[in-house]
Amino acid sequence: MNPCPILEKYGGVWVFDGTKLNQTPANGRRFATGIRNAVAIEWNAKQNALYAVIHGRDSIDTLFPKLYTAEDNATRQAEEFHKITDGGDYGWPNTFFDTKLGKRVLAPEYGGDATKEPEAGKYPDPVVAYPAHWAPNDLLFYEGKSFPEKYRDGAFIAFHGSWNRAPEPQAGYKVVFQPMKDGKANGPYEVFADGFAGDMKDNSPRNAQYRPVGLAVNPDGSLLVTDSQKGRVWRISYKGK
């Protein structure tokens, strides 16, 4: 349906009054829309701006087998890192950012043919487009003092891993570092911490040993990483060369 009625109450970011209790959705103001699933959402104090890493869509192969293969579904719908602005529209469900083509395309539900682009300038491109189905579940801008200078003001992202990458191997299950400068990407992302999943039997997420889900900075500047499988917390610190 166009416009999509789901966007009236879902698929966006709402602002609430931080001084009032017992608010309901009716008390909020829709700040931005077209956002499929922004679990990883964070205010960047230095930029005075909101950012989010958005879960990309699923099932393009099963819904549209004439346009997309199972391999396409496993690899092409980016996890999108965006600066979220007041009144912004980030394209869901009308579009998705295609990692193979390196551009935003119309969703098949809205006239897409696997290459057709939306109206120019209507939706922003992501700050960074991460691989499909890594499942970004937390975002943190590092303001600690103990890590080397290159980490200052950069972004850590916890990727939880997804169920929807068959027939490709499971992926994600790691913490990446995204260099940033003036609120924009400053180079490619780096894998900061990996190996959480261990040996995943049957290529199934439920068999992952650990799955990164949350991030925080300790008062001493070390990074804390939480896990959703067993409730473990890791502390990662820097002790010099």
Side-chain angles (χ1 to χ4, degrees):
M1 299 171 67
N2 196 7
C4 176
I6 293 175
L7 294 176
E8 294 176 11
K9 295 184 179 180
Y10 305 96
V13 175
W14 276 257
V15 175
F16 292 86
D17 189 330
T19 67
K20 295 180 180 179
L21 299 176
N22 303 314
Q23 296 178 80
T24 71
N27 300 118
R29 176 179 70 85
R30 185 165 61 183
F31 182 79
T33 191
I35 298 170
R36 180 177 179 266
N37 191 8
V39 184
I41 184 169
E42 182 75 1
W43 187 264
N44 186 319
K46 289 200 172 183
Q47 298 300 319
N48 195 34
L50 184 68
Y51 288 79
V53 193
I54 301 167
H55 287 231
R57 66 165 292 166
D58 296 311
S59 307
I60 57 173
D61 61 325
T62 53
L63 293 173
F64 302 97
K66 293 182 179 180
L67 295 176
Y68 294 103
T69 66
E71 182 180 358
D72 290 330
N73 180 68
T75 59
R76 291 179 67 165
Q77 311 98 290
E79 314 286 48
E80 301 183 29
F81 185 13
H82 281 280
K83 180 180 179 180
I84 308 296
T85 60
D86 198 347
D89 185 343
Y90 296 86
W92 181 83
N94 306 76
T95 72
F96 66 91
F97 194 87
D98 189 316
T99 61
K100 181 178 180 180
L101 300 179
K103 67 179 183 179
R104 186 168 298 283
V105 297
L106 280 173
E109 293 91 340
Y110 292 90
D113 60 2
T115 62
K116 189 182 296 184
E117 300 177 43
E119 177 185 336
K122 187 171 184 179
Y123 309 108
D125 284 341
V127 175
V128 183
Y130 296 104
H133 307 300
W134 276 20
N137 273 17
D138 207 0
L139 168 66
L140 180 146
F141 294 101
Y142 185 76
E143 297 180 1
K145 306 299 183 185
S146 67
F147 281 11
E149 183 66 27
K150 80 168 198 174
Y151 292 100
R152 204 67 49 82
D153 301 326
F156 287 100
I157 304 167
F159 287 100
H160 191 241
S162 168
W163 60 274
N164 196 16
R165 279 187 59 88
E168 299 298 302
Q170 283 294 324
Y173 311 93
K174 64 187 69 178
V175 177
V176 309
F177 174 72
Q178 177 61 59
M180 303 284 288
K181 185 176 181 180
D182 299 327
K184 299 179 181 179
N186 187 32
Y189 70 86
E190 305 169 3
V191 176
F192 181 79
D194 204 351
F196 293 95
D199 181 18
M200 296 176 63
K201 296 178 181 178
D202 302 323
N203 199 32
S204 171
R206 61 179 171 270
N207 293 324
Q209 187 174 9
Y210 303 106
R211 302 180 73 177
V213 70
L215 299 167
V217 176
N218 232 12
D220 65 2
S222 58
L223 184 71
L224 301 175
V225 182
T226 66
D227 149 68
S228 66
Q229 291 286 77
K230 299 181 176 68
R232 176 167 288 192
V233 180
W234 287 266
R235 174 177 171 268
I236 303 173
S237 61
Y238 178 72
K239 297 181 182 295
K241 294 181 181 179

